[in-house]
Amino acid sequence: MNRVNQAPEATAHCPNCAAPLPVSPPPGTDQLLAALRASESRFRAAFADAGIGMLLIDTDGLVIEANPALAEMLGHEVSALVRMHINDILTPEDGSRRLYRQLVEGVRERLRLERKLKHREGREVWSSVTISLVRDAAGTPLYTLGMFEDVTERRRLGDRLAYQALHDPLTRLPNRAFFFDRLNAACAPRTGGEPAEPEDAARRVGICYVGLDGFAAINDTLGHHVGDQLLSAVAARLERGFAIGDRQVVARLGGDEFAVLVTDSEGSEQLTALAGQLLTVLERPFEVAGHRLAVTASIGVVERPVATTSPTDLVKDADATLYWSKADGRARWTLYDRDRGAHQLTRRLLTTALRPALERGEFTVEYQPLVGLADGSVHGAEALVRWRHPRFGTLSPDRFIPLAEESGAIVPLGKWVLEESCRQARGWLAEFPDTEAFVSVNLAARQVWDSDVVADVAQVLDRTGLPARLLQLELTESAVLGPSGRPLQALQALADMGVRIAIDDFGTGYSNLAYLSRLPVHALKLDGTFIEGFRDPAPIGRPEPRSRRSEADEQIVGAMVRLAHDLGLTVTAEGIESAAQAERLRQTGCDTAQGWFFARPGDPASVASILREGGVRSTDPEWSPVAR
């Protein structure tokens, strides 16, 4: 440490003999020396009593002096630190060594860094270090002053917070943030160039996205505390069996969903084999809170070259593939299929565009006549909605109606179709008052659940002026006869208004015949699958053997027609493509039919044209009812 020495006494010499003569010091010198000594005492007291560690280090990096706070921080005596090299006190790094040399050489004045100190017992001590350069009066570096603040607890707190930010608090597995961090690293170029570099082009990555089947039922029946314990047990089993450092990362992504990330995968075979192992491991029952729980899982598998994908696409496709596994029956793994993914993307695009398309007027209604098999007259027409999509062209109902039902867009779309159809039927009535052709409109079960369909129908009939008897509403058998029975009240109210009710696709749903006598139903529409057998040619002269399917279908249809007539119902057959089918159905007693043989779905003018001609005429001798 720099010392302050007593100044030499001022002297003078005799002019005669040159002998030294006592000379009095300049005025104020004693006060200056006293001030210097006081300053040194204050510095020494501050150095010794400071609450933070302090060191004086010479230009060779050796400790000149240390204070008690630093000695206690490092588990040493003060004397043991003197002459110790600075690198024996803090853990050096190449960057910090270079900066310290610049400090000693006078290139910089101060150095701040956070380093781990070397405690005598080997435990971890982290310190915020500030080292300042001290120069002499001429500006030459004399020594450095180091100050050390113990930040170990703060560092541990930061580590705990960082751990909590990257791990699931329930299962202690890495969480979604951790998973994406590792996934981003796995997909990042390692060569420093574009992903197309040879090393990166060969790298692959894969994900097994795991979802427990029926987990919500466990929460609902046994309680969330049991569900939480089950999730922890599943996590422990997955971690023990499949976590392999950074090569295989097991994470909980949320809820009952887990993921296994495989960096540097070797191909889809490796991932599908891993998925099979995951299913096997999870099939073993879990003992949780006194319950023996059997759990299955569905797994979506995605594996591809790093150069052709991104972390976002990987997780998106893995999530979609997990959904496919559940939709395909659960308790299985499914490998991502690009064509199926494109189909799902199209579904999402259509679902999103449904409501805006209705506002833009992209929907239109076509009509297919319902023809009397006995005389060819037009009894009515079924309204069939079409979507004139600007990108995908004209879409038939089977492309978008299921999406509309799932998203709820079927309610506004159904109201629009109902009003458009009733307005058109009112036009036919005005032009052809004697025919009284009705319009048949499909009604989705969700329209009954999510809206006041009775009020909607009443308002439409009032606005359009169409008599209620000329409106027929078609519901599927499953919707009408489902276990809830909720549509029955609405159907009864509609029937009381005079609206005709028809069961569409009859024979493919619940087929609860006991309901028919109690339902407010006026007509049955036979599903097209029953008409398949009628495509065999009708026997002429000596009958040739027909397929067993043909004979069975004919017997079934005949029985359903007789049953319907006994109950006072009319029967319509769908999907008629030939005169032979029409004739054989007429022979069973079927009342009306529709299909391409009579007319394809078309605009309102095409139906008006048939009404104007008095019905459908046929030149085929196998069915010519008008001539009959």
Side-chain angles (χ1 to χ4, degrees):
M1 181 174 180
N2 199 25
R3 305 293 186 184
V4 178
N5 299 318
Q6 178 70 36
E9 185 178 322
T11 59
H13 297 80
C14 175
N16 296 320
C17 63
L21 298 175
V23 179
S24 300
T29 298
D30 291 340
Q31 293 88 339
L32 177 60
L33 293 175
L36 288 173
R37 284 192 292 270
S39 176
E40 180 182 9
S41 296
R42 287 195 298 271
F43 173 77
R44 181 169 296 282
F47 185 86
D49 298 336
I52 63 174
M54 299 181 72
L55 279 180
L56 288 176
I57 312 162
D58 65 19
T59 54
D60 293 326
L62 298 176
V63 175
I64 300 172
E65 193 163 347
N67 74 343
L70 182 65
E72 182 180 357
M73 192 184 304
L74 300 177
H76 286 283
E77 297 293 332
V78 171
S79 58
L81 297 177
V82 176
R83 307 306 295 170
M84 186 179 288
H85 198 278
I86 185 63
N87 289 343
D88 295 328
I89 294 176
L90 56 82
T91 304
E93 294 180 0
D94 291 341
S96 60
R97 288 183 179 184
R98 178 177 53 81
L99 295 175
Y100 185 72
R101 283 197 303 272
Q102 293 177 356
L103 183 70
V104 172
E105 293 168 359
V107 176
R108 61 192 306 131
E109 297 297 319
R110 187 172 288 103
L111 174 63
R112 289 190 178 93
L113 64 164
E114 191 169 288
R115 284 290 178 270
K116 184 164 63 174
L117 305 184
K118 298 178 180 179
H119 193 275
R120 183 169 64 88
E121 297 176 355
R123 62 184 175 86
E124 191 175 79
V125 178
W126 281 90
S127 175
S128 176
V129 182
T130 301
I131 304 178
S132 302
L133 178 64
V134 179
R135 301 174 184 268
D136 63 12
T140 303
L142 286 178
Y143 51 79
T144 56
L145 172 64
M147 292 179 287
F148 300 78
E149 181 184 1
D150 190 344
V151 296
T152 304
E153 286 304 317
R154 188 182 73 191
R155 181 94 178 194
R156 288 173 180 167
L157 175 60
D159 291 343
R160 286 196 297 271
L161 293 176
Y163 179 89
Q164 293 171 6
L166 297 175
H167 289 77
D168 175 53
L170 175 64
T171 64
R172 304 299 181 186
L173 283 180
N175 63 8
R176 177 177 288 269
F178 188 106
F179 178 83
F180 270 98
D181 181 72
R182 291 297 185 270
L183 179 59
N184 287 327
C187 294
R190 295 179 183 173
T191 59
E194 295 296 323
E197 293 285 342
E199 180 183 338
D200 290 316
R203 289 168 47 222
R204 304 180 70 88
V205 64
I207 298 174
C208 287
Y209 204 127
V210 183
L212 302 184
D213 298 328
F215 178 74
I218 294 175
N219 269 342
D220 294 341
T221 57
L222 301 180
H224 285 266
H225 67 289
V226 175
D228 288 347
Q229 292 181 52
L230 175 60
L231 289 175
S232 297
V234 169
R237 191 176 291 184
L238 293 178
E239 186 174 30
R240 284 195 306 269
F242 301 98
I244 310 175
D246 289 336
R247 291 192 295 117
Q248 270 186 204
V249 178
V250 177
R252 182 189 180 201
L253 301 188
D256 61 3
E257 294 180 350
F258 301 83
V260 181
L261 168 65
V262 180
T263 60
D264 293 317
S265 62
E266 300 172 359
S268 58
E269 295 81 3
Q270 178 191 6
L271 269 293
T272 54
L274 175 61
Q277 295 167 11
L278 287 165
L279 291 177
T280 301
V281 165
L282 293 176
E283 283 176 355
R284 299 199 309 269
F286 292 86
E287 300 291 342
V288 176
H291 300 278
R292 186 176 177 83
L293 302 178
V295 177
T296 62
S298 300
I299 302 177
V301 181
V302 177
E303 197 280 340
R304 61 184 59 148
V306 168
T308 64
T309 191
S310 68
T312 302
D313 287 341
L314 275 168
V315 174
K316 173 177 65 67
D317 293 342
D319 187 35
T321 312
L322 170 60
Y323 172 81
W324 301 345
S325 288
K326 290 184 177 292
D328 291 345
R330 302 184 174 188
R332 67 191 64 216
W333 58 262
T334 302
L335 182 64
Y336 179 77
D337 177 79
R338 194 173 299 277
D339 292 339
R340 190 171 181 180
H343 175 69
Q344 290 295 114
L345 176 60
T346 301
R347 283 175 55 89
R348 284 197 295 270
L349 292 175
L350 292 178
T351 301
T352 304
L354 270 168
R355 293 177 188 270
L358 183 59
E359 297 172 359
R360 291 191 296 263
E362 294 178 6
F363 292 95
T364 186
V365 180
E366 293 184 346
Y367 301 88
Q368 187 172 41
L370 302 173
V371 179
L373 288 172
D375 57 7
S377 63
V378 175
H379 292 208
E382 181 179 0
L384 301 168
V385 64
R386 302 286 189 263
W387 186 356
R388 311 292 186 189
H389 196 282
R391 176 179 173 185
F392 301 113
T394 301
L395 302 179
S396 58
D398 60 317
R399 290 287 305 277
F400 60 87
I401 290 298
L403 305 180
E405 292 179 349
E406 291 174 10
S407 65
I410 191 64
V411 174
L413 177 60
K415 289 180 181 178
W416 179 83
V417 171
L418 177 66
E419 183 150 358
E420 188 72 13
S421 303
C422 289
R423 184 175 291 109
Q424 184 54 56
R426 182 66 183 86
W428 292 329
L429 179 63
E431 187 175 356
F432 311 102
D434 295 335
T435 61
E436 288 210 343
F438 63 85
V439 66
S440 190
V441 180
N442 288 278
L443 188 67
R446 187 157 183 176
Q447 290 177 261
V448 180
W449 283 87
D450 292 359
S451 66
D452 188 349
V453 67
V454 177
D456 292 341
V457 170
Q459 292 171 6
V460 167
L461 292 176
D462 183 62
R463 284 195 297 266
T464 61
L466 181 71
R469 68 181 183 278
L470 298 184
L471 172 62
Q472 176 172 282
L473 296 177
E474 298 183 18
L475 282 84
T476 62
E477 181 183 356
S478 300
V480 176
L481 304 180
S484 66
R486 179 169 175 175
L488 297 181
Q489 293 179 346
L491 294 183
Q492 187 61 60
L494 290 168
D496 292 342
M497 290 168 52
V499 175
R500 293 169 52 89
I501 305 297
I503 299 180
D504 196 13
D505 298 333
F506 183 77
T508 61
Y510 290 87
S511 298
N512 191 334
L513 300 179
Y515 269 105
L516 288 180
S517 63
R518 298 193 295 271
L519 285 172
V521 175
H522 303 84
L524 301 181
K525 296 191 73 174
L526 303 182
D527 185 71
T529 56
F530 291 109
I531 313 302
E532 292 287 334
F534 287 79
R535 291 180 180 176
D536 291 346
I540 299 177
R542 188 168 60 88
E544 296 181 1
R546 287 183 291 162
S547 69
R548 184 176 180 182
R549 164 75 185 274
S550 173
E551 295 177 354
D553 284 348
E554 194 165 334
Q555 293 296 325
I556 292 172
V557 169
M560 287 195 291
V561 170
R562 290 191 296 272
L563 173 64
H565 288 170
D566 289 343
L567 295 174
L569 309 179
T570 62
V571 180
T572 299
E574 298 178 301
I576 309 306
E577 298 180 358
S578 68
Q581 282 182 306
E583 176 60 20
R584 291 174 63 189
L585 281 166
R586 185 192 67 80
Q587 293 175 3
T588 66
C590 186
D591 302 288
T592 57
Q594 65 185 102
W596 284 14
F597 170 68
F598 305 110
R600 297 194 177 196
D603 58 20
S606 63
V607 177
S609 176
I610 298 175
L611 289 171
R612 193 173 294 111
E613 294 176 0
V616 174
R617 300 184 183 276
S618 172
T619 59
D620 193 314
E622 291 194 62
W623 184 80
S624 53
V626 174
R628 181 178 290 109

